[in-house]
């Protein structure tokens, strides 16, 4: 069985690593790894491959940045040629980035089976590009591997055939479980003992200068009382006022490698973020997370975990942060099957697809 994995952007890398490892030990499996090149800066890509132990991609489509249409279309044109040449049995796509949706659509049209890892998540907010990517990918996928049971319910509601849906747990947590001990050791000496860790990169928070400015003002007042560490995504960096004078206790950092960021998350008093993956990692780690969004496609992090949606109103963010700093953080538990074994379960399910392929071929 030939499985071709497609990844493109930073949050894909921690999801593909456990699946590649699990399949490596299975008999009769050939794997091809395609990097679309959606993320290309070493700090957004190469360092993650290195730390997560992902082999060098067999193919790099080098699509780079662009508008949504340009980026998606370039992935589509280039992946079509790869699929025609390599003829995989299954294409595995991850998460909800433009590369995920582009590869899924092209594979489906070529009649290649599509497995979607992290299927079924919904924010119900179609202004988010990722929500469009999730909806389309799940419609064309043959195997929908879900991280939590709310995702199964979403897919069933959308009329997806239940026989295609498998609850396998959260594969990104596999990477966390494996690398956490090393991550804890990699926190740089000189890191403050108490700090709030911040990430912001969603277009809805950073693309509009007024919204970004309101959020930045909260960070600046937060930094009067506590240290704030803010690794800045390139999208956000490009929009921050470069002449602004930053408070001494607010450290603007370059994007951090996986291990360093995980180590910092684990020791943070609180994390302020608009990322999807970080809402999940903080829930696993039991660290309070304040999510600067009106909605989340990962509601289990709110219902079971340590996540609180604070919206984009600075007063709510300030109040919730005060609560945490005064020693009243939200507590939570780990959701079912967030146990470090999802990669193996995904490998099992991908191989059932092989039997299915063989059965279908012999039927014809
Ligand atoms: C993408 C994903 C988002 C994910 C995020 C994680 C989509 C629609 N969005 O958003 O779901 O949460 O990745 O980071 O797929 N840039 C660089 N270097 C890079 C990559 C990007 O400088 O290696 C800059 C470019 O100016 C680019 C901008 O960042 O235009 C945005 O990159 P892009 O891949 O379009 O979207 P992200 O905001 O990273």
């Amino acid at each position: 069985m030939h499985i071709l994995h497609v990844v493109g952007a930073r949050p894909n890398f921690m999801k593909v690593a456990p699946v590649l490892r699990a399949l490596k030990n299975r008999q009769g499996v050939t794997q091809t790894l395609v990097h679309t090149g959606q993320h290309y800066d070493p700090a957004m890509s190469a360092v993650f491959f290195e730390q997560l132990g992902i082999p060098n991609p067999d193919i790099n489509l080098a699509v780079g940045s662009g508008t949504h249409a340009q980026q998606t279309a370039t992935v589509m044109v280039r992946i079509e040629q790869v699929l025609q040449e390599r003829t995989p049995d299954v294409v595995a796509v991850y998460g909800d980035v433009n590369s995920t949706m582009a590869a899924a659509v092209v594979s489906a049209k070529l009649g290649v089976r599509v497995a979607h890892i992290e299927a079924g998540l919904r924010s119900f907010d179609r202004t988010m590009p990722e929500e469009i990517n999730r909806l389309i990918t799940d419609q064309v996928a043959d195997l929908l591997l879900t991280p939590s049971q709310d995702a199964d319910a979403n897919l069933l509601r959308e009329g997806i055939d239940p026989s295609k849906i498998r609850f396998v747990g959260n594969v990104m947590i596999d990477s966390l479980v494996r690398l956490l001990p090393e991550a804890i050791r990699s926190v740089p000496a000189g890191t403050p003992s108490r700090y709030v860790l911040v990430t912001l990169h969603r277009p809805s928070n950073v693309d509009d200068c007024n919204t970004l400015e309101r959020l930045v003002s909260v960070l600046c007042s937060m930094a009067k009382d506590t240290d704030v560490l803010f690794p800045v995504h390139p999208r956000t960096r490009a929009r921050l006022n470069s002449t602004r004078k930053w408070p001494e206790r607010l450290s603007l950092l370059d994007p951090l490698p996986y291990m360093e960021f995980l180590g910092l998350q684990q020791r943070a008093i609180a994390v302020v973020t608009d990322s999807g993956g970080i809402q999940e990692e903080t829930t696993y780690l039991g660290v309070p997370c304040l999510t600067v969004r009106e909605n989340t496609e990962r509601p289990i992090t709110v219902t079971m975990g340590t996540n609180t949606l604070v919206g984009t109103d600075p007063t709510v963010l300030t109040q919730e942060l005060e609560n945490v700093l005064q020693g009243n953080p939200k507590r939570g538990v780990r959701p079912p099957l967030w146990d470090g074994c999802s990669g193996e379960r995904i490998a099992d399910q991908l191989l059932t697809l092989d039997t299915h392929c063989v059965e279908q071929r012999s039927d014809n």
Side-chain angles (χ1 to χ4, degrees), residues 7-278:
V7 291
R10 187 169 61 174
N12 294 157
F13 307 142
M14 37 293 237
K15 294 167 195 163
V16 78
V19 182
L20 287 167
R21 289 170 85 85
L23 284 168
K24 200 172 155 205
N25 304 320
R26 306 293 177 108
Q27 270 199 336
V29 174
T30 310
Q31 306 196 74
T32 300
L33 179 60
V34 177
H35 189 332
T36 65
Q38 178 174 343
H39 283 175
Y40 44 84
D41 281 351
M44 301 290 287
S45 176
V47 70
F48 285 79
F49 274 65
E50 200 181 297
Q51 294 195 337
L52 291 157
I54 305 173
N56 285 333
D58 299 289
I59 298 158
N60 192 321
L61 304 179
V63 301
S65 302
T67 64
H68 284 271
Q70 284 164 347
Q71 198 173 53
T72 310
T74 313
V75 174
M76 286 177 134
V77 171
R78 296 187 187 170
I79 195 90
E80 184 178 53
Q81 198 184 342
V82 171
L83 297 180
Q84 283 166 337
E85 283 166 12
R86 301 273 177 145
T87 62
D89 298 303
V90 177
V91 170
V93 296
Y94 296 80
D96 55 16
V97 302
N98 286 343
S99 302
T100 311
M101 185 270 279
V105 170
V106 173
S107 307
K109 288 197 170 181
L110 289 174
V112 183
R113 275 157 208 278
V114 176
H116 184 203
I117 288 111
E118 201 185 79
L121 296 182
R122 298 287 181 270
S123 64
F124 304 100
D125 174 2
R126 292 199 183 189
T127 65
M128 282 181 81
E130 294 81 2
E131 183 74 352
I132 307 294
N133 293 340
R134 292 179 202 116
L135 284 160
I136 293 173
T137 304
D138 286 341
Q139 279 300 319
V140 300
D142 300 280
L143 183 61
L144 297 107
L145 299 157
T146 62
S148 49
Q149 281 154 319
D150 54 282
D152 295 44
N154 291 334
L155 294 170
L156 292 172
R157 200 175 330 101
E158 286 168 18
I160 303 283
D161 178 348
S163 69
K164 295 180 178 175
I165 306 170
R166 315 286 159 77
F167 170 43
V168 291
N170 191 327
V171 72
M172 193 190 61
I173 297 300
D174 288 25
S175 290
L176 184 157
V177 169
R178 186 168 69 86
L179 295 172
L180 185 61
E182 200 178 334
I184 290 171
R185 289 193 296 274
S186 67
V187 174
T191 302
S193 55
R194 268 172 69 81
Y195 55 86
V196 173
L197 182 62
V198 178
T199 80
L200 293 171
H201 76 279
R202 291 267 153 232
S204 57
N205 281 336
V206 305
D207 282 3
D208 174 68
C209 332
N210 295 331
T211 310
L212 181 59
E213 181 50 38
R214 275 199 302 274
L215 292 170
V216 163
S217 307
V218 178
L219 301 184
C220 290
S221 39
M222 215 189 276
K224 287 182 194 140
D225 305 319
T226 181
D227 285 290
V228 178
L229 306 183
F230 182 11
V232 188
H233 186 287
R235 174 189 277 281
T236 313
R237 177 73 75 176
R239 291 158 176 83
L240 283 176
N241 179 352
S242 56
T243 57
R244 186 188 188 108
K245 186 121 179 45
W246 295 95
E248 205 179 312
R249 294 180 76 184
L250 196 165
S251 310
L252 293 190
L253 311 169
D254 286 334
L256 290 172
Y258 181 73
M259 212 79 86
E260 284 75 352
F261 189 77
L262 182 55
L264 286 179
Q265 267 193 94
Q266 195 264 341
R267 281 182 30 174
I269 322 173
V271 176
V272 174
T273 191
D274 57 10
S275 147
I278 294 170

